[in-house]
């Protein structure tokens, strides 16, 4: 980097650093996109479509729980299989492109965060560096944890309830590829975003807008609101499914209370 006589970088120096940061991010993302495009068929069969059959790990765990006399609704342990059909000629090709895009974004996310951190780090004081580093690291971990909960818990339970729900016995359910993928991506990434709640609370606390007393005062109200949110995310009628979705969201509330200032 070229510096001025007083040792400070000019605006054009910062712009050059930003340009090379963006180039590195684009190169890494492009490589991952190309590799991901070739990897998508295997990923689609073994990961994305896994919740459509009885062999999915969540369904096997629920069956094991029911065999040990733990009250699991019978609808969650019945034989289950979803047949997904394609209605548009080019849907499968464009879906592979879309999934390669999101996979590249998901895998490159920690590297993108690292590059952003490296760019802004020189402008921060020592105490600010600790705060920003904490935000980036915890935010990344929480996002991946949320996506994992969305994929492994929320989406399968929602899929199972809605696919087996019948308004009339004369109507059979058929699931289109577009509908399946829209719900899969929405619920998975929505949970990743919801899991950023502790980071948002911590930032509001740093700005002086939020204190720990808020969580103690409104805990009962929060439980009701979070139950409504859980019911909206997975519109199931049984308490087991509702509680399974509610519990991780409520734990986020309690984690937020720990992170904010007393």
């Amino acid at each position: 980097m070229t510096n001025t006589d007083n040792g400070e970088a000019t605006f054009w120096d910062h712009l050059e650093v930003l340009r090379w940061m963006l180039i590195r991010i684009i190169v890494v993302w492009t490589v991952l996109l190309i590799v991901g495009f070739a990897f998508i068929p295997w990923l689609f069969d073994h990961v994305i479509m896994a919740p459509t059959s009885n062999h999915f790990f969540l369904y096997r765990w629920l069956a094991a729980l029911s065999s040990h006399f733990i009250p699991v609704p019978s609808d969650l342990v019945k034989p289950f299989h979803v047949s997904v059909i394609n209605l548009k000629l080019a849907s499968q090709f464009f879906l592979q492109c879309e999934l390669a895009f999101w996979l590249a974004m998901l895998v490159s996310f920690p590297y993108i965060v690292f590059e952003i951190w490296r760019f802004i780090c020189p402008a921060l004081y020592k105490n600010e560096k600790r705060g920003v580093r904490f935000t980036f690291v915890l935010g990344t971990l929480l996002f991946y944890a949320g996506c994992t909960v969305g994929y492994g818990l929320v989406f399968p339970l929602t899929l199972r309830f809605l696919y087996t729900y019948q308004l009339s016995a004369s109507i059979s359910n058929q699931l289109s590829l577009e509908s399946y993928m829209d719900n899969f991506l929405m619920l998975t990434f929505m949970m990743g975003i919801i899991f950023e709640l502790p980071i948002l609370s911590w930032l509001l606390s740093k700005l002086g807008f939020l204190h720990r007393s808020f969580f103690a005062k409104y805990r009962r109200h929060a439980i009701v609101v979070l139950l409504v949110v859980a019911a909206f995310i997975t519109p199931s009628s049984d308490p087991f499914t509702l509680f399974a979705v509610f519990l991780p969201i409520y734990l986020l509330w309690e984690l937020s209370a720990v992170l904010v200032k007393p």
Side-chain angles (χ1 to χ4, degrees):
M1 179 186 297
T2 304
N3 295 333
T4 58
D5 294 337
N6 60 6
E8 295 183 359
T10 65
F11 169 78
W12 298 108
D13 294 329
H14 291 301
L15 196 62
E16 181 69 10
V17 174
L18 177 62
R19 185 173 72 90
W20 280 107
M21 181 195 76
L22 293 176
I23 290 174
R24 288 193 297 270
I25 289 176
I26 291 173
V27 169
V28 169
W29 179 81
T30 303
V31 171
L32 291 173
L33 178 68
I34 296 171
V35 174
F37 187 84
F39 185 66
I40 287 300
W42 182 92
L43 185 73
F44 192 84
D45 286 336
H46 295 85
V47 178
I48 296 175
M49 294 297 292
T52 63
S53 75
N54 246 16
H55 300 295
F56 189 60
F57 69 89
L58 177 66
Y59 307 148
R60 289 190 279 109
W61 289 353
L62 292 175
L65 287 176
S66 65
S67 65
H68 289 83
F69 306 103
I70 297 177
V72 176
S74 59
D75 289 342
L76 297 178
V77 294
K78 290 179 179 178
F80 179 72
H81 179 74
V82 176
S83 296
V84 179
I85 60 174
N86 179 39
L87 301 176
K88 296 182 180 179
L89 181 63
S91 289
Q92 296 196 53
F93 172 75
F94 287 117
L95 177 61
Q96 185 171 353
C97 296
E98 181 184 357
L99 289 176
F101 171 86
W102 288 112
L103 179 63
M105 289 296 296
L106 195 64
V107 175
S108 64
F109 184 71
Y111 177 75
I112 294 173
V113 169
F114 168 74
E115 285 288 353
I116 295 174
W117 160 253
R118 192 165 67 169
F119 177 72
I120 67 174
C121 183
L124 301 175
Y125 293 108
K126 188 175 181 179
N127 62 324
E128 293 175 330
K129 290 180 181 179
R130 289 196 299 267
V132 175
R133 186 186 300 116
F134 170 81
T135 303
F136 281 162
V137 173
L138 183 61
T140 302
L141 293 176
L142 286 174
F143 177 75
Y144 281 125
C147 289
T148 302
V149 171
Y151 167 76
L153 180 67
V154 177
F155 175 72
L157 292 178
T158 303
L159 173 69
R160 187 159 190 140
F161 171 75
L162 293 179
Y163 188 78
T164 56
Y165 183 84
Q166 280 189 304
L167 178 64
S168 171
S170 61
I171 303 174
S172 61
N173 285 331
Q174 287 187 317
L175 185 60
S176 70
L177 179 62
E178 287 186 349
S179 177
Y180 181 87
M181 290 308 306
D182 286 346
N183 284 276
F184 177 86
L185 293 173
M186 181 190 69
L187 290 174
T188 300
F189 286 106
M190 183 175 66
M191 290 304 298
I193 295 172
I194 289 176
F195 266 58
E196 297 296 323
L197 175 64
I199 292 297
L200 177 62
S201 300
W202 180 79
L203 290 174
L204 291 175
S205 173
K206 284 292 183 181
L207 295 173
F209 295 122
L210 191 63
H211 300 281
R212 192 171 298 171
S213 59
F214 170 85
F215 292 89
K217 182 178 180 180
Y218 293 102
R219 179 169 280 106
R220 287 179 296 179
H221 304 77
I223 291 175
V224 175
V225 173
L226 295 178
L227 281 171
V228 173
V229 171
F232 175 77
I233 293 175
T234 174
S236 176
S237 57
D238 65 271
F240 180 87
T241 302
L242 181 64
F243 181 76
V245 177
F246 164 78
L247 182 60
I249 301 177
Y250 177 72
L251 292 177
L252 289 176
W253 169 271
E254 295 297 341
L255 177 59
S256 300
V258 172
L259 292 178
V260 302
K261 295 184 293 186

